[in-house]
Each structure stands twice: as C-alpha cells, then as structure tokens.
Amino acid sequence: IYGDRFILEEKDELEGLWSPGYLRRALENLTANAVKYGDINRPITITTQKKENRSSVAIHNWGNPIEEANLR
C-alpha cells in the first residue's frame, strides 16, 4: 500500500527463535506508527543487524521526535 516508501537495510543475516505471531505484531505496530507519525515525503528505513550474539531490528522515520515526557 505504501510502495517504495519502505527501505530495508539488511546488514546481517539474522538467526534466532521467535514467536512468529508476536514478532509480526511488533513489526506491524512499529511500522504503522512510522507511517502514521512520519513525514509522508520521506522514506521509512528498516534495518536488521547482529550485535554480538543478539539480533536487532530498527525502524527509522523522518518526523517530529517524541517528547521526552511521552517516552514512558
């Protein structure tokens, strides 16, 4: 639905044991928030990488930062 607005940067191949349902739900929530609160004219970047023995996924959008008081 958002076409080429998403950019996937796979820095490393990830391995791990996850609940597919919970992982999907988390990624859907994060990407939906990135679409909702991001600049509609800028891309949303999803980056995957390994850090030591951990896998991570980061989602970055261009928009107004969340105020510190609302980060709780």
Side-chain angles (χ1 to χ4, degrees):
I1 206 169
Y2 296 102
D4 60 356
R5 187 158 176 212
F6 287 96
I7 298 170
L8 178 60
E9 295 181 352
E10 297 176 276
K11 297 188 177 193
D12 301 300
E13 184 175 322
L14 302 184
E15 296 178 14
L17 298 173
W18 299 284
S19 164
Y22 287 131
L23 181 59
R24 179 181 176 148
R25 183 176 178 188
L27 293 174
E28 285 176 345
N29 287 340
L30 292 170
T31 54
N33 283 340
V35 168
K36 184 175 179 180
Y37 297 108
D39 183 335
I40 62 171
N41 298 311
R42 302 286 300 266
I44 297 167
T45 306
I46 302 169
T47 307
T48 63
Q49 68 181 35
K50 278 187 195 176
K51 292 181 180 178
E52 298 175 14
N53 63 344
R54 297 175 184 248
S55 297
S56 69
V57 177
I59 299 175
H60 180 266
N61 69 317
W62 297 90
N64 294 326
I66 300 171
E67 294 179 16
E68 182 101 18
N70 295 327
L71 290 176
R72 303 180 205 283

